[in-house]
Amino acid sequence: MEREIGIDELVAAMKAVDEAGRLFEDALAVYGARGPKRTGDDFKVAGGPVQTLQGAEEMARGARRHLADLALIVGYAAAGLEDPVGGRIEAVRKGFTGVSVGGSRMARPLLEPTVRGLRLLLTVDLFDPEFREAVEEVVRAERATYPDPATFRVPASAIARSVARPA
């Protein structure tokens, strides 16, 4: 049976997600100011400048989208129109993927605003234990893990050229 969520709990979650989003945006500004170039093999390096910037973008964007979802639910609930919300309540309990996916890309140590934002998300009672665990994993991780270098395949034509023998 689904646990009832009150407007106060939703508003508290909104405030925490909003502040976490601001902190993620602060970190994003720092990473962006470093001027990483989105070219070449930089996309393939977990924790590299491009992946770190992309991870920070995912975290900031995810927080903003999640805040909008929470606001929609609060609006319907405040108006007494809970039916249109449907499965959104269950979805907001699950948090947002920008944290785990974005955090797995980022160089360690994480910037202080990122860590503060993540810790703030851990204070939200609304979130499911699975989301909390994903946040904790990002905080505890000693290094970036995505993308896994094994996922990049060398094109068959390159392999053929490297093993071809001169005639």
Side-chain angles (χ1 to χ4, degrees):
M1 183 170 173
E2 188 172 299
R3 155 175 89 84
E4 189 67 30
I5 299 175
I7 291 178
D8 291 342
E9 185 178 7
L10 289 165
V11 169
M14 284 181 68
K15 289 178 179 179
V17 170
D18 181 52
E19 181 60 22
R22 290 176 200 272
L23 291 165
F24 296 154
E25 288 168 355
D26 289 348
L28 175 59
V30 171
Y31 291 126
R34 293 179 181 171
K37 306 292 186 252
R38 297 178 187 237
T39 59
D41 286 341
D42 287 346
F43 284 103
K44 298 178 183 180
V45 180
V50 172
Q51 287 294 335
T52 298
L53 179 63
Q54 187 171 345
E57 288 171 345
E58 289 176 9
M59 291 176 87
R61 187 174 44 249
R64 291 296 160 221
R65 285 183 184 151
H66 202 69
L67 181 61
D69 289 341
L70 287 164
L72 180 66
I73 293 169
V74 168
Y76 278 120
L81 303 171
E82 295 185 35
D83 285 344
V85 174
R88 289 182 192 267
I89 290 176
E90 192 59 35
V92 296
R93 282 187 177 144
K94 294 182 186 299
F96 52 100
T97 59
V99 168
S100 58
V101 173
S104 67
R105 296 176 182 275
M106 298 172 73
R108 299 306 192 270
L110 296 170
L111 293 180
E112 186 266 337
T114 302
V115 175
R116 281 187 26 226
L118 291 168
R119 292 196 190 288
L120 189 56
L121 293 176
L122 290 172
T123 68
V124 177
D125 292 333
L126 176 73
F127 293 133
D128 286 344
E130 294 82 11
F131 180 69
R132 291 173 190 267
E133 179 58 31
V135 172
E136 288 174 358
E137 284 179 24
V138 171
V139 173
R140 287 190 311 254
E142 295 178 8
R143 62 181 177 81
T145 58
Y146 183 87
D148 179 354
T151 60
F152 297 105
R153 292 193 270 158
V154 177
S157 59
I159 293 171
R161 283 192 302 270
S162 69
V163 296
R165 297 183 189 174

